[in-house]
Amino acid sequence: MNHSRHSIVLLGNQTGESLVLARYHSLIREFEGKGEFLSPIDHSDWLRCYDRDSQPLQARLPLLVFRPHQLTVISPFIIACQTRHIPLTTRCGGTGLSGATVPSQGGVILLTGHFRAILKEEMKQGEVIVEPGVTPRQLNQRFHHHGWYFPLQMMTEGVAGLAGCLSSQAYGYHQSAYSLLGRFLSVRFIDAKGEEIEAPASLLAGAEGLFGVIIQLRVKLERIPQRRMVWQVRLEWESFLNHLEAIQQLSVLKSIVWHEQSFFLILEGDEWRMKGALRHLENVFNSLSKLPEEWQFRFRYPPPHHLFILLSHALPIKNIRRLIASGCQLCEQIGLKHDMWANVQEGSLHLLLFSEEEIHSFNQKIERFLVAWVHVLKENEGTLISRHGSGTLLSPYLPPFFREEDFYFLQKLRQAFDPDQLFNPECFFPIQGKSLERVRHHENRD
Amino acid sequence: MKTGIEKPGAETPWSSINDLLKGDERFKAIYPDWQGFIVAPKTLSRLSALLNVLNEEQLDFHVQNQYASFPFAPIQHSLVISLKSFNQVRLINNQGVEVEAGCDLNTFSISLFAQRYEVGLEEGIDGEGKGTVGWEIIQGMRSGLLLRQQSPMERLLAIEWMNREGKVIKLGDENEGAHAGPAIHRLIGGIQTFNGILLKAYFKVHPLPPVRLSLCWSFEERKALGNFLQQLQQFTSSWERLECVIPGHLQERGLIMAQISGVEEEMEAFKQCCPSFHESLLVDKRLSVKKFLLQQGLFLTRMQPEQQPEWNTQQVIPVGSYVWYHVLTGDCWLACRKGVLTEERRSEGECVPCWKRRFLSVVDSKNE
């Protein structure tokens, strides 16, 4: 089947091309043979796979999806989209939770998750150079026997590309207190002018694709710890917080996860440290339950036929308990089911909100929740985003957490790499005109 | 460092500045290599107003993000803005610390120690004891401790800085778990040239460990030192510091200096397991080694990666010189007589990476 010919037919007829759609036709013609296109008429079922990421609320069918054969095609493709004023959204694994890969109005999706080559290995230092679609599981399977691993365990570790993980500041199963940023040394990316740039990873970390398309990453693996232990402590919050300073002295303490009245202490490190660490814990807590070494706090999907979103917030540890109580109360008021867990080591709370209602009602409830929740977060010195990015889902709620000057600077920085807002124009920066007041106005009107 | 005089109460040639700033915020500076005026506003509003005045008068100026006093040359500007009044330290929620950029590293450490916390930020071994937090951040904080296997840069949570129009911009968040948008605060760390005025930094803090051990081993042979260093690296990745000093003269002894910490129970286990623990001196020799080198009339110069000798392969080090190598960070200094090592200075604009050029152009741009 000649995809290009059918795609052109679908977007308009051959004799009288729509001026609006002519640019999409010419894009397909220009890149025929250099990749594969999916378009609405030929592949409407397949196209649905690319209208959203792992969250259900933000979705839009793209006008085209392009899967280049080579990374070298990406630069000319970007230039071609730039010339035609076609917005571009990069999609790696598509497993994000914030709508960052939802295409823009009239936009095209550029796929990079199929680029999964490990280009170079430097095992002495544990450094590798990889293509954007390489997954954490791929790295772990390849380098485990060398004693190295990539410290990001999550449900989607076999699908999520590292470029997407970096762009959205993925976090995994909360078994680590430390940001992943230290694992990424540098990146190569293509900006909106088609220029290939090498930069520190911190420029692209959390940038949600705003500055360009990542084509290569230099990654630092971590040594597999000699030993891992997980201990469960059942205590009330206040009692646990009284002991926090004593246990934070342990350098092998990698994470403290709270869930359902239990605290899970995850320790990793040298064998010789572990015995001492265990004696120290036994002195601090009256009773500890040992869990299997390989235990992880896994993401719990809601029951079938439930829609869900995941929110992650950062806040001072001392306020987590109060925020949990407020969250429970608000969910009850609005009629949302929820699950919550917290990382007590760094100070973050994660809420899984779900419901078996249909999408429109669920969407309305989530909007009502978020409008009220923003104020609760502010009262508890919290921030809206801890992990997973803001995408299109949470960008309208960002303004209370950023000052105007801060947004302005980030906008100008984006312009330095993407002057015409080609990439993800609807991500991160709040759309002008959509404010909390406007959302609340609609709520009152309803 | 060349010493000079800074006289307060100076009347600058610019009446608008004299009207804006108080007498104890204006200094006439007389140094061997430079004479001019130093202005040191004490509040953020006066700093912002000062920048507006300087913009209106179209006056060029230099921002002193460096030492508490004033050594730098060459300087083309006759006016320098100093942040020496911005030196406060404030603990936040027992998780983080807010420190103003003009605070010197010693004061910063002492303030945290007093409250039983640390950040592990240190001056390089070639420092002269007057580095400020702002200067260290811009230079990349390469010399600090690795606490919990994290470098000081990884403990930087946020920064606040003022652009040339007097607007304050914050990048990052003091909540450790906050990660919205690009991590630009990390970009500014190590940027080395920065036309904004760094005001504050937020770091994650760690409680002081109950037990901290400093160890020192000496070796007659370079090969034995190299082998033992590898052994120590394989033993644990939780060293906070691991350095070696290699003499150029083959008859002199080389040193390995290490630091590690933990709770009492862990450190008891360490003493049982650490290779050659009982042959080590339990003392921090860094300062005495530095003092020895300076007394020999040697200068400590940071080496670029391409200049570093492969001392562990018996490559020749100049006789009378010493290599001081930080194993954990890859930093290296050569202690030698002047003239043995020429420091190549990059001229401005040469070899500046593209991302940095664009980033600095945004820092310099005006609000429209």
Side-chain angles (χ1 to χ4, degrees):
Chain A
M1 177 184 282
N2 184 329
H3 294 295
S4 301
R5 185 170 66 82
H6 279 84
S7 299
I8 290 169
V9 167
L10 289 175
L11 290 172
N13 68 50
Q14 285 173 328
T15 52
E17 275 190 352
S18 153
L19 283 177
V20 172
L21 299 174
R23 53 201 178 125
Y24 295 92
H25 299 168
S26 71
L27 190 65
I28 295 172
R29 276 194 292 268
E30 186 176 339
F31 289 89
E32 189 175 342
K34 293 180 184 166
E36 289 150 33
F37 281 96
L38 296 179
S39 62
I41 300 179
D42 266 340
H43 313 99
S44 58
D45 287 342
W46 284 109
L47 217 55
R48 283 209 172 277
C49 300
Y50 300 98
D51 69 354
R52 72 192 71 191
D53 52 17
S54 295
Q55 52 74 44
L57 298 179
Q58 303 287 314
R60 183 188 280 132
L61 270 183
L63 278 191
L64 282 177
V65 175
F66 179 53
R67 186 179 189 273
H69 290 324
Q70 308 282 347
L71 282 168
T72 48
V73 175
I74 289 178
S75 176
F77 187 77
I78 289 172
I79 294 170
C81 289
Q82 173 72 264
T83 317
R84 293 165 175 81
H85 305 293
I86 296 175
L88 194 58
T89 300
T90 312
R91 182 183 174 108
C92 198
T95 56
L97 292 160
S98 64
T101 55
V102 173
S104 308
Q105 190 92 7
V108 169
I109 295 274
L110 171 67
L111 300 181
T112 59
H114 54 291
F115 294 110
R116 293 195 173 188
I118 296 173
L119 301 170
K120 195 175 175 190
E121 303 168 12
E122 289 162 19
M123 280 299 98
K124 212 174 159 190
Q125 300 106 292
E127 289 179 15
V128 293
I129 297 176
V130 300
E131 287 186 343
V134 166
T135 64
R137 180 176 294 167
Q138 220 179 317
L139 290 181
N140 292 338
Q141 284 173 346
R142 175 78 164 258
F143 299 113
H144 190 270
H145 64 281
H146 288 288
W148 297 101
Y149 82 120
F150 190 78
L152 179 61
Q153 282 84 44
M154 50 188 185
M155 194 71 83
T156 54
E157 62 190 42
V159 181
L162 289 178
C165 294
L166 177 68
S167 299
S168 63
Q169 295 259 34
Y171 192 26
Y173 289 142
H174 314 284
Q175 70 274 23
S176 175
Y178 307 126
S179 159
L180 262 194
L181 182 52
R183 300 291 118 210
F184 294 97
L185 300 177
S186 64
V187 294
R188 297 189 83 86
F189 68 100
I190 312 282
D191 73 354
K193 298 170 196 168
E195 196 176 330
E196 186 175 317
I197 299 171
E198 183 162 4
S202 48
L203 177 65
L204 281 291
E208 302 182 36
L210 293 176
F211 298 129
V213 180
I214 296 175
I215 57 168
Q216 201 180 91
L217 303 99
R218 188 177 188 93
V219 172
K220 175 110 176 85
L221 302 172
E222 206 170 281
R223 279 278 177 210
I224 295 173
Q226 284 181 4
R227 187 82 193 277
R228 186 175 193 266
M229 290 200 295
V230 185
W231 296 92
Q232 182 177 6
V233 177
R234 289 183 197 279
L235 274 182
E236 294 296 322
W237 264 98
E238 204 162 318
S239 306
F240 186 83
L241 291 183
N242 288 339
H243 297 303
L244 188 59
E245 199 173 315
I247 60 171
Q248 279 181 330
Q249 290 170 351
L250 289 170
S251 64
V252 292
L253 183 64
K254 280 294 179 278
S255 186
I256 307 172
V257 180
W258 169 86
H259 183 246
E260 290 181 351
Q261 285 100 47
S262 280
F263 293 88
F264 301 91
L265 311 179
I266 297 159
L267 289 76
E268 287 179 2
D270 299 312
E271 179 74 53
W272 59 267
R273 276 198 187 266
M274 286 301 194
K275 286 181 190 162
L278 177 56
R279 277 202 294 277
H280 183 78
L281 284 178
E282 285 167 345
N283 289 337
V284 172
F285 297 111
N286 289 333
S287 95
L288 290 165
S289 306
K290 191 175 181 190
L291 298 179
E293 252 187 54
E294 61 279 2
W295 182 94
Q296 284 172 346
F297 180 80
R298 292 184 180 270
F299 180 80
R300 292 144 194 256
Y301 279 107
H305 312 300
H306 281 70
L307 297 170
F308 73 90
I309 66 160
L310 179 65
L311 302 175
S312 294
H313 312 297
L315 73 164
I317 295 169
K318 65 183 169 85
N319 294 343
I320 293 179
R321 184 179 155 208
R322 211 168 62 186
L323 195 68
I324 290 169
S326 304
C328 292
Q329 202 179 7
L330 191 55
C331 285
E332 209 181 299
Q333 276 172 19
I334 293 177
L336 281 168
K337 296 180 193 174
H338 67 276
D339 191 9
M340 290 191 205
W341 58 95
N343 184 317
V344 187
Q345 182 82 314
E346 64 167 13
S348 60
L349 180 67
H350 310 274
L351 285 85
L352 184 71
L353 303 175
F354 54 100
S355 168
E356 50 192 335
E357 291 174 80
E358 51 84 27
I359 195 159
H360 178 69
S361 305
F362 182 61
N363 194 14
Q364 280 197 317
K365 285 191 175 179
I366 292 297
E367 275 203 1
R368 279 176 56 204
F369 178 89
L370 285 171
V371 168
W373 192 233
V374 160
H375 296 285
V376 174
L377 277 174
K378 292 292 281 180
E379 279 166 14
N380 286 281
E381 303 170 79
T383 58
L384 185 66
I385 310 292
S386 170
R387 296 289 196 272
H388 317 301
S390 65
T392 48
L393 180 68
L394 297 175
S395 58
Y397 306 95
L398 283 179
F401 303 96
F402 279 82
R403 298 183 298 195
E404 203 177 302
E405 293 85 3
D406 306 339
F407 264 135
Y408 187 77
F409 177 78
L410 291 173
Q411 282 274 23
K412 292 212 81 169
L413 186 62
R414 190 203 16 207
Q415 277 168 17
F417 296 93
D418 182 10
D420 299 322
Q421 294 185 36
L422 177 76
F423 299 123
N424 288 22
E426 293 166 22
C427 262
F428 186 71
F429 295 101
I431 299 166
Q432 279 183 346
K434 184 166 183 187
S435 64
L436 288 183
E437 287 70 28
R438 189 172 165 192
V439 171
R440 209 185 258 289
H441 170 70
H442 282 149
E443 173 196 323
N444 290 339
R445 210 173 56 187
D446 290 342
Chain B
M1 184 179 69
K2 294 174 185 168
T3 54
I5 309 167
E6 292 176 16
K7 291 184 193 170
E11 289 292 313
T12 73
W14 307 281
S15 56
S16 47
I17 294 177
N18 299 335
D19 293 339
L20 175 67
L21 300 178
K22 297 180 182 174
D24 59 357
E25 292 174 318
R26 293 179 265 114
F27 300 81
K28 170 73 181 164
I30 303 169
Y31 282 85
D33 290 342
W34 181 80
Q35 285 191 36
F37 294 94
I38 296 177
V39 289
K42 289 190 175 179
T43 66
L44 214 55
S45 55
R46 279 213 282 283
L47 176 61
S48 179
L50 173 67
L51 289 177
N52 279 321
V53 161
L54 295 176
N55 276 335
E56 280 168 20
E57 303 261 358
Q58 294 189 331
L59 285 173
D60 275 337
F61 59 91
H62 179 89
V63 179
Q64 187 193 54
N65 279 337
Q66 201 169 339
Y67 298 114
S69 61
F70 184 82
F72 50 82
I75 294 298
Q76 287 89 32
H77 307 99
S78 56
L79 183 67
V80 168
I81 297 179
S82 168
L83 292 184
K84 56 185 170 185
S85 298
F86 291 78
N87 55 16
Q88 297 301 300
V89 179
R90 183 176 73 96
L91 209 58
I92 305 172
N93 294 320
N94 294 343
Q95 286 174 249
V97 64
E98 173 192 283
V99 56
E100 292 185 323
C103 185
D104 69 86
L105 295 178
N106 279 342
T107 305
F108 184 37
S109 293
I110 290 167
S111 301
L112 285 177
F113 267 52
Q115 299 179 81
R116 310 293 302 159
Y117 287 98
E118 62 178 352
V119 164
L121 192 54
E122 288 180 352
E123 219 173 25
I125 200 67
D126 55 341
E128 293 168 359
K130 295 200 175 187
T132 61
V133 170
W135 173 248
E136 274 303 310
I137 289 173
I138 286 172
Q139 296 306 305
M141 297 185 282
R142 289 183 285 176
S143 298
L145 291 179
L146 248 69
L147 299 177
R148 318 291 171 97
Q149 292 153 45
Q150 271 193 320
S151 65
M153 184 66 76
E154 290 174 288
R155 292 194 285 279
L156 180 65
L157 300 176
I159 58 163
E160 273 186 26
W161 59 284
M162 186 176 279
N163 66 11
R164 296 264 165 150
E165 293 180 312
K167 294 260 193 295
V168 176
I169 294 159
K170 186 175 180 183
L171 300 170
D173 193 284
E174 59 264 34
N175 283 315
E176 185 193 342
H179 296 278
I184 306 295
H185 57 290
R186 295 269 192 99
L187 271 191
I188 289 177
I191 203 161
Q192 297 192 342
T193 52
F194 183 59
N195 284 339
I197 301 176
L198 206 56
L199 297 173
K200 270 185 204 174
Y202 298 83
F203 288 95
K204 172 180 167 176
V205 295
H206 288 293
L208 284 179
V211 179
R212 174 162 273 155
L213 296 174
S214 295
L215 303 99
C216 181
W217 294 268
S218 69
F219 297 84
E220 284 177 1
E221 283 181 13
R222 209 185 278 181
K223 193 174 175 189
L225 187 153
N227 290 341
F228 188 65
L229 195 60
Q230 271 190 357
Q231 228 182 321
L232 291 180
Q233 284 178 280
Q234 281 160 10
F235 168 65
T236 181
S237 54
S238 62
W239 294 109
E240 293 173 345
R241 197 197 304 283
L242 192 58
E243 301 169 19
C244 53
V245 178
I246 320 289
H249 202 296
L250 290 174
Q251 305 304 319
E252 271 188 79
R253 295 177 77 88
L255 291 180
I256 292 178
M257 296 176 287
Q259 180 178 303
I260 197 163
S261 69
V263 298
E264 213 168 299
E265 297 90 338
E266 286 175 314
M267 292 295 99
E268 284 308 312
F270 171 80
K271 290 174 186 174
Q272 307 298 320
C273 302
C274 174
S276 302
F277 175 79
H278 296 291
E279 289 157 34
S280 69
L281 285 175
L282 290 179
V283 66
D284 184 357
K285 291 274 262 180
R286 299 172 81 241
L287 287 178
S288 55
V289 170
K290 182 178 173 182
K291 197 172 166 186
F292 164 77
L293 295 174
L294 295 176
Q295 280 172 350
Q296 300 296 307
L298 303 177
F299 293 87
L300 278 160
T301 313
R302 184 174 246 140
M303 299 174 82
Q304 299 302 325
E306 55 275 9
Q307 294 174 310
Q308 293 177 16
E310 288 185 28
W311 53 271
N312 52 351
T313 59
Q314 304 290 320
Q315 188 173 337
V316 171
I317 297 169
V319 173
S321 302
Y322 298 80
V323 165
W324 192 319
Y325 185 56
H326 281 224
V327 176
L328 300 180
T329 62
D331 263 343
C332 188
W333 285 264
L334 184 69
C336 59
R337 307 232 177 265
K338 250 189 172 175
V340 170
L341 182 73
T342 50
E343 212 179 312
E344 288 172 18
R345 290 188 186 277
R346 286 186 178 147
S347 60
E348 241 177 70
E350 237 180 66
C351 305
V352 178
C354 172
W355 72 265
K356 194 170 171 179
R357 260 188 282 115
R358 294 197 198 176
F359 178 75
L360 292 175
S361 71
V362 174
V363 170
D364 284 342
S365 65
K366 292 189 178 198
N367 286 355
E368 282 156 19

